[in-house]
Amino acid sequence: MNSIYRLLLCVVVILLFATKAQAQEWHYEISCAGVGVQGTYMVEVTSYGKTVDAALEQMKKDAIHGVLFKGISGKCTQKPLAGKAEAETEHKAFFDKFFSASGDYAKYVVDEQNVNFMVTKVNKKEYKVTKVVSVKKDMLRRDLEKAGVIKALGF
Amino acid sequence: MNFNFPDMKRFGLSIILLCFVLSLSAQEKKPTIMVVPSDVWCNQHGYMTTFDNQGTTQKVPDYKTALQNDADLLLVIGAINTLMADRGFPLKNLESVLKSIEQRMAEDNMTVSKTSGAELAETPLDRLRRTAKADIIMQITWTVNTTGPKKSITYILQGIDSYTDKQIAGAQGTGDPSFTAETPVLLQEAVVTHMDNFCFQLQSYFDDLIAKGREVAVDVRVFDTGEMDLETEFNGVELTEIIDEWMNANTVNHIFNKSDASENYIQYEQVRIPLYKTNGASMDAEGFVRNLRTYLRQEYQIQSKVMTRGLGRAILVIGEK
């Protein structure tokens, strides 16, 4: 019996780790904040984090993720840059690295330090921030086309 | 190290085959796209010209005058061309195309043979076809809305397949009203705002071509020789049926629509042809109809003539060359 309990414990531990290692769940809101300069989208993003700094960092990832896979709602509605929803799972390895702490995502976001943003303490362990940032969408599209992750216009 | 010669040979052949396939994919015929102002815009701004079409006065847009007089039009066309070039899809420039047509006409008029002094052969049909055209037309319309001191722009961009006359992409909307911004600034903003969604739809159209084949139109006509028409029977089967059967066998997923027919003509629309020929080269309507012509000549000794209307429409005239 003991060995069965041990086996079950091992399975539970493995499952717990497996769940932890699953892809990050995205929880944010993104909408159009106006027409940016050519080659950029100006978006308002609401993100969540354990601290304000963590939420602000998460906001950069969310802005890129939103532009790529969710699209932008509001007055200047834009379709997702990646084209199809499956692109994220099709190129999972690429995007895991892209959105990691050492990933390239940050270079596509213009996050002005002197721009006001709104902070709300959701609960003891979570902050919500809302801020307007610019996403360099033309540069992002070109780089992802070069990497073969999204398709260039044409056949 | 032990080299196995047959394996090396196979490896070498695979590399050559791969290079061949890659070089073929690089030769893809991209449709040509050109931005033109819509008829509505030209009419509203007075850039129309009239001509006598066998007794009926017809109004057609005068692009040349529009381009020479309207700086906003140049701005919009320039902005769209730049954005499309940035996406690796340079467009035909309307102004340059018009200039090159004029230049070519002037040169053709002056060209004579050295020995006999003969002029270049040109049918009335050739003259008619020498107009600015592209496979996909991006048609733009905009209006400046004024409410008191506020101005806004309503912008409409339509992508139209020249041969099927279908709208394959579009983007439209009215921008935010502004007290201070000038019209060119609002126009530039409208172009930038709508271009990505337009390109997204254009790409969906290209994806559809890849999946279901290129959509073309095929016309079959008969020369008035009195010897043959489309009801003439060959081994008990009418020529119309023979052509239908060939279309069924050679279209992608057997997709084609016989929209109209008589003993003298057949009109096929929504004909889905393969993107590539069997030798790997790109297929267009002319290539497709040439295959039909070869089939009719080889199997039934029928002479015919192929005429083209760009990449997307071809006409097979049966009877003689």
Side-chain angles (χ1 to χ4, degrees), chain A residues 7-148:
Chain A
L7 191 69
L8 275 172
L9 190 70
C10 284
V11 170
V12 169
V13 169
I14 288 167
L15 279 174
L16 275 174
F17 272 103
T19 318
K20 188 89 177 163
Q22 265 181 4
Q24 171 180 8
E25 274 190 23
W26 296 93
H27 175 40
Y28 63 89
E29 286 111 56
I30 185 167
S31 61
C32 173
V35 180
V37 292
Q38 194 167 321
T40 67
Y41 286 149
M42 205 198 279
V43 289
E44 186 184 80
V45 187
T46 300
S47 297
Y48 301 82
K50 284 179 182 169
T51 62
V52 174
D53 284 346
L56 282 171
E57 195 53 39
Q58 182 59 38
M59 183 207 58
K60 292 181 191 169
K61 292 182 188 180
D62 292 343
I64 299 291
H65 189 272
V67 165
L68 280 174
F69 306 112
K70 200 172 177 178
I72 305 168
S73 58
K75 272 198 167 178
C76 43
T77 304
Q78 297 293 345
K79 293 205 165 73
L81 210 61
K84 49 183 183 176
E86 308 90 69
E88 191 174 5
T89 43
E90 274 175 20
H91 301 280
K92 189 178 177 307
F94 176 89
F95 285 115
D96 283 349
K97 194 180 166 203
F98 184 80
F99 286 117
S100 68
S102 57
D104 282 339
Y105 69 90
K107 74 176 184 184
Y108 302 104
V109 181
V110 182
D111 179 18
E112 299 288 349
Q113 296 303 312
N114 55 357
V115 171
N116 288 336
F117 57 94
M118 207 168 73
V119 182
T120 314
K121 192 169 183 182
V122 181
N123 56 42
K124 274 184 183 175
K125 288 180 181 172
E126 196 174 46
Y127 288 88
K128 177 173 118 175
V129 296
T130 302
K131 192 175 181 184
V132 173
V133 290
S134 281
V135 174
K136 297 176 186 171
K137 53 104 185 170
D138 278 2
M139 187 177 153
L140 177 66
R141 178 178 46 76
R142 266 196 298 268
D143 288 354
L144 295 188
E145 278 173 6
K146 264 186 218 162

Side-chain angles (χ1 to χ4, degrees), chain A residues 35-39 41 75-81 83-84 137-138 141-142 145 151-155, chain B residues 28-29 31 83-84 86-87 89 176 188-189 192-193 196-197 199-203 206-207 209-210:
Chain A
V35 180
V37 292
Q38 194 167 321
Y41 286 149
K75 272 198 167 178
C76 43
T77 304
Q78 297 293 345
K79 293 205 165 73
L81 210 61
K84 49 183 183 176
K137 53 104 185 170
D138 278 2
R141 178 178 46 76
R142 266 196 298 268
E145 278 173 6
K151 210 177 160 196
L153 185 65
F155 291 109
Chain B
E28 195 129 24
K29 269 187 198 175
L83 289 173
M84 291 297 282
D86 183 52
R87 283 176 165 264
F89 215 103
D176 281 338
Q188 174 90 15
E189 195 179 289
V192 170
T193 308
D196 284 341
N197 284 339
C199 287
F200 183 83
Q201 290 182 27
L202 201 58
Q203 185 57 52
F206 292 151
D207 290 344
L209 293 189
I210 294 165

Side-chain angles (χ1 to χ4, degrees), chain B residues 147-161:
Chain B
T147 316
K150 286 193 289 186
K151 265 194 300 189
S152 67
I153 296 273
T154 298
Y155 176 83
I156 305 166
L157 178 62
Q158 294 167 294
I160 294 162
D161 186 325

Side-chain angles (χ1 to χ4, degrees), chain B residues 18-31:
Chain B
L18 183 71
C19 291
F20 179 66
V21 169
L22 286 176
S23 71
L24 282 179
S25 61
Q27 289 168 4
E28 195 129 24
K29 269 187 198 175
K30 276 188 176 180

Side-chain angles (χ1 to χ4, degrees), chain B residues 8 14 40 60 70 73 104 108 127 129 143 147 152 166 171 253 274 289 293 303 318:
Chain B
M8 288 294 287
S14 310
V40 172
V60 288
D70 204 300
L73 177 62
R104 217 168 51 218
D108 286 357
R127 265 198 300 279
R129 288 177 60 189
T143 46
T147 316
S152 67
K166 282 184 182 171
N253 301 331
V289 171
R293 179 178 159 269
Q303 285 294 335
I318 290 182

Side-chain angles (χ1 to χ4, degrees), chain B residues 253-271:
Chain B
N253 301 331
H254 317 289
I255 303 173
F256 68 99
N257 177 23
K258 189 175 179 178
S259 58
D260 204 1
S262 76
E263 72 270 27
N264 292 318
Y265 74 93
I266 313 176
Q267 255 181 350
Y268 293 106
E269 286 172 344
Q270 296 160 27
V271 181

